[in-house]
Short mmCIF file of all heavy atoms in Angstrom, two decimals:
data_model
loop_
_atom_site.label_atom_id
_atom_site.label_comp_id
_atom_site.label_asym_id
_atom_site.label_seq_id
_atom_site.Cartn_x
_atom_site.Cartn_y
_atom_site.Cartn_z
N MET A 98 7.47 -10.57 9.87
CA MET A 98 8.40 -10.56 8.73
C MET A 98 9.21 -9.26 8.66
O MET A 98 10.25 -9.22 8.02
CB MET A 98 7.67 -10.79 7.40
CG MET A 98 6.73 -9.68 6.98
SD MET A 98 6.28 -9.79 5.22
CE MET A 98 5.36 -11.29 5.13
N ASP A 99 8.74 -8.19 9.30
CA ASP A 99 9.47 -6.92 9.28
C ASP A 99 10.36 -6.74 10.51
O ASP A 99 11.02 -5.71 10.64
CB ASP A 99 8.48 -5.74 9.23
CG ASP A 99 7.92 -5.50 7.83
OD1 ASP A 99 8.46 -6.10 6.87
OD2 ASP A 99 6.95 -4.74 7.70
N VAL A 112 8.22 -14.05 2.74
CA VAL A 112 7.72 -13.35 1.54
C VAL A 112 7.45 -14.35 0.40
O VAL A 112 6.58 -14.12 -0.43
CB VAL A 112 8.63 -12.18 1.04
CG1 VAL A 112 8.56 -11.01 1.96
CG2 VAL A 112 10.03 -12.60 0.76
N LEU A 115 4.04 -15.54 1.04
CA LEU A 115 3.08 -14.53 0.58
C LEU A 115 2.95 -14.60 -0.95
O LEU A 115 1.85 -14.49 -1.50
CB LEU A 115 3.55 -13.14 1.02
CG LEU A 115 2.64 -11.96 0.67
CD1 LEU A 115 1.23 -12.15 1.23
CD2 LEU A 115 3.23 -10.65 1.20
N ASN A 119 -0.39 -15.15 -3.06
CA ASN A 119 -0.82 -14.23 -4.12
C ASN A 119 -1.06 -14.98 -5.43
O ASN A 119 -2.01 -14.70 -6.16
CB ASN A 119 0.25 -13.15 -4.37
CG ASN A 119 0.40 -12.21 -3.19
OD1 ASN A 119 -0.46 -12.16 -2.33
ND2 ASN A 119 1.51 -11.49 -3.14
N TYR A 125 -1.76 -11.50 -9.03
CA TYR A 125 -0.83 -10.78 -9.92
C TYR A 125 -1.47 -10.39 -11.26
O TYR A 125 -1.32 -9.24 -11.70
CB TYR A 125 0.46 -11.58 -10.13
CG TYR A 125 1.27 -11.75 -8.85
CD1 TYR A 125 1.79 -12.99 -8.50
CD2 TYR A 125 1.52 -10.67 -8.02
CE1 TYR A 125 2.52 -13.15 -7.33
CE2 TYR A 125 2.25 -10.83 -6.84
CZ TYR A 125 2.75 -12.08 -6.51
OH TYR A 125 3.47 -12.22 -5.34
N GLU A 151 8.50 -0.73 -8.63
CA GLU A 151 7.70 -1.30 -7.54
C GLU A 151 8.48 -1.14 -6.24
O GLU A 151 9.65 -1.54 -6.16
CB GLU A 151 7.38 -2.79 -7.77
CG GLU A 151 6.41 -3.27 -6.69
CD GLU A 151 6.18 -4.77 -6.59
OE1 GLU A 151 6.82 -5.54 -7.32
OE2 GLU A 151 5.36 -5.16 -5.74
N ALA A 153 8.87 -2.00 -2.10
CA ALA A 153 8.54 -3.06 -1.13
C ALA A 153 8.02 -4.31 -1.84
O ALA A 153 6.96 -4.83 -1.50
CB ALA A 153 7.49 -2.53 -0.12
N CYS A 154 8.81 -4.78 -2.81
CA CYS A 154 8.31 -5.84 -3.72
C CYS A 154 8.37 -7.23 -3.11
O CYS A 154 7.85 -8.18 -3.70
CB CYS A 154 9.09 -5.81 -5.03
SG CYS A 154 10.81 -6.33 -4.84
N GLY A 155 9.03 -7.41 -1.96
CA GLY A 155 9.10 -8.74 -1.35
C GLY A 155 9.74 -9.74 -2.30
O GLY A 155 10.82 -9.50 -2.85
N ASP A 180 13.22 -3.34 -2.86
CA ASP A 180 12.86 -3.65 -1.47
C ASP A 180 14.06 -3.25 -0.61
O ASP A 180 15.17 -3.07 -1.11
CB ASP A 180 12.54 -5.14 -1.31
CG ASP A 180 11.71 -5.42 -0.05
OD1 ASP A 180 12.28 -5.40 1.06
OD2 ASP A 180 10.49 -5.64 -0.18
N ILE A 181 13.81 -3.18 0.69
CA ILE A 181 14.90 -2.78 1.60
C ILE A 181 15.75 -3.99 1.98
O ILE A 181 16.88 -3.84 2.44
CB ILE A 181 14.30 -2.09 2.85
CG1 ILE A 181 15.35 -1.29 3.58
CG2 ILE A 181 13.60 -3.08 3.77
CD1 ILE A 181 14.80 -0.32 4.60
N VAL A 182 15.23 -5.21 1.77
CA VAL A 182 15.95 -6.42 2.21
C VAL A 182 16.82 -6.97 1.05
O VAL A 182 16.29 -7.38 0.01
CB VAL A 182 14.96 -7.51 2.69
CG1 VAL A 182 15.70 -8.76 3.13
CG2 VAL A 182 14.10 -6.96 3.83
N TYR A 185 16.04 -10.35 -0.87
CA TYR A 185 14.89 -10.36 -1.79
C TYR A 185 15.35 -9.90 -3.18
O TYR A 185 14.84 -10.37 -4.20
CB TYR A 185 13.78 -9.41 -1.32
CG TYR A 185 13.20 -9.66 0.04
CD1 TYR A 185 12.30 -8.76 0.60
CD2 TYR A 185 13.52 -10.80 0.78
CE1 TYR A 185 11.75 -8.97 1.86
CE2 TYR A 185 12.97 -11.00 2.05
CZ TYR A 185 12.10 -10.08 2.58
OH TYR A 185 11.57 -10.28 3.82
N LEU A 205 16.34 -0.70 -2.30
CA LEU A 205 15.92 0.69 -2.15
C LEU A 205 15.03 0.83 -0.92
O LEU A 205 14.07 0.07 -0.75
CB LEU A 205 15.14 1.11 -3.41
CG LEU A 205 14.79 2.59 -3.56
CD1 LEU A 205 16.04 3.45 -3.73
CD2 LEU A 205 13.88 2.78 -4.79
N ASN A 206 15.36 1.79 -0.09
CA ASN A 206 14.49 2.13 1.03
C ASN A 206 13.38 3.02 0.46
O ASN A 206 13.67 4.02 -0.19
CB ASN A 206 15.30 2.87 2.09
CG ASN A 206 14.47 3.21 3.32
OD1 ASN A 206 13.24 3.26 3.26
ND2 ASN A 206 15.15 3.44 4.43
N ALA A 207 12.15 2.66 0.69
CA ALA A 207 11.02 3.39 0.10
C ALA A 207 11.00 4.86 0.52
O ALA A 207 10.35 5.68 -0.12
CB ALA A 207 9.70 2.72 0.50
N PHE A 208 11.70 5.20 1.61
CA PHE A 208 11.74 6.60 2.05
C PHE A 208 12.96 7.34 1.53
O PHE A 208 13.23 8.46 1.92
CB PHE A 208 11.74 6.70 3.58
CG PHE A 208 10.75 5.80 4.23
CD1 PHE A 208 11.13 4.93 5.23
CD2 PHE A 208 9.43 5.80 3.81
CE1 PHE A 208 10.21 4.07 5.82
CE2 PHE A 208 8.51 4.96 4.38
CZ PHE A 208 8.89 4.08 5.39
N SER A 224 2.35 -2.76 -3.68
CA SER A 224 1.18 -3.64 -3.50
C SER A 224 1.30 -4.43 -2.20
O SER A 224 2.38 -4.85 -1.80
CB SER A 224 1.06 -4.61 -4.68
OG SER A 224 2.04 -5.60 -4.60
N GLN A 225 0.16 -4.60 -1.58
CA GLN A 225 0.01 -5.39 -0.36
C GLN A 225 0.97 -4.98 0.76
O GLN A 225 1.35 -5.82 1.58
CB GLN A 225 0.19 -6.87 -0.68
CG GLN A 225 -1.03 -7.42 -1.37
CD GLN A 225 -0.90 -8.87 -1.72
OE1 GLN A 225 -1.18 -9.24 -2.83
NE2 GLN A 225 -0.48 -9.70 -0.79
N SER A 226 1.36 -3.75 0.75
CA SER A 226 2.31 -3.31 1.78
C SER A 226 1.89 -2.01 2.44
O SER A 226 2.54 -1.60 3.40
CB SER A 226 3.70 -3.08 1.15
OG SER A 226 4.13 -4.22 0.48
N HIS A 229 1.85 -1.88 6.06
CA HIS A 229 3.12 -2.07 6.79
C HIS A 229 3.72 -0.72 7.16
O HIS A 229 4.74 -0.66 7.84
CB HIS A 229 4.13 -2.83 5.92
CG HIS A 229 3.87 -4.31 5.90
ND1 HIS A 229 4.77 -5.25 6.35
CD2 HIS A 229 2.80 -5.00 5.48
CE1 HIS A 229 4.25 -6.45 6.22
NE2 HIS A 229 3.06 -6.33 5.68
N PHE A 230 3.11 0.36 6.65
CA PHE A 230 3.68 1.69 6.87
C PHE A 230 2.67 2.59 7.59
O PHE A 230 1.45 2.44 7.40
CB PHE A 230 4.08 2.31 5.53
CG PHE A 230 5.12 1.50 4.80
CD1 PHE A 230 4.76 0.63 3.78
CD2 PHE A 230 6.45 1.58 5.17
CE1 PHE A 230 5.71 -0.15 3.13
CE2 PHE A 230 7.42 0.81 4.52
CZ PHE A 230 7.05 -0.06 3.50
C1 SAM B 411 3.90 -7.65 3.04
S1 SAM B 411 5.46 -7.52 2.29
C2 SAM B 411 4.88 -7.26 0.66
C3 SAM B 411 5.72 -7.87 -0.38
C4 SAM B 411 5.15 -7.84 -1.79
N1 SAM B 411 4.71 -6.54 -2.19
C5 SAM B 411 4.06 -8.87 -1.95
O1 SAM B 411 2.90 -8.49 -2.21
O2 SAM B 411 4.34 -10.05 -1.85
C6 SAM B 411 6.04 -5.94 2.80
C7 SAM B 411 7.39 -5.60 2.23
O3 SAM B 411 7.74 -4.27 2.64
C8 SAM B 411 9.17 -4.25 2.68
N2 SAM B 411 9.62 -3.04 3.39
C9 SAM B 411 9.46 -2.75 4.70
N3 SAM B 411 10.03 -1.54 4.96
C10 SAM B 411 10.53 -1.07 3.79
C11 SAM B 411 11.21 0.11 3.42
N4 SAM B 411 11.48 1.08 4.30
N5 SAM B 411 11.57 0.28 2.13
C12 SAM B 411 11.30 -0.68 1.22
N6 SAM B 411 10.67 -1.84 1.51
C13 SAM B 411 10.28 -2.04 2.78
C14 SAM B 411 9.49 -5.54 3.39
O4 SAM B 411 10.84 -5.89 3.26
C15 SAM B 411 8.51 -6.49 2.69
O5 SAM B 411 9.10 -7.08 1.57
#
Side-chain angles (χ1 to χ4, degrees):
M98 67 163 66
D99 281 349
V112 288
L115 182 57
N119 293 343
Y125 295 133
E151 187 191 4
C154 69
D180 200 284
I181 198 166
V182 179
Y185 301 172
L205 189 65
N206 183 339
F208 315 128
S224 74
Q225 285 180 229
S226 305
H229 282 241
F230 300 99

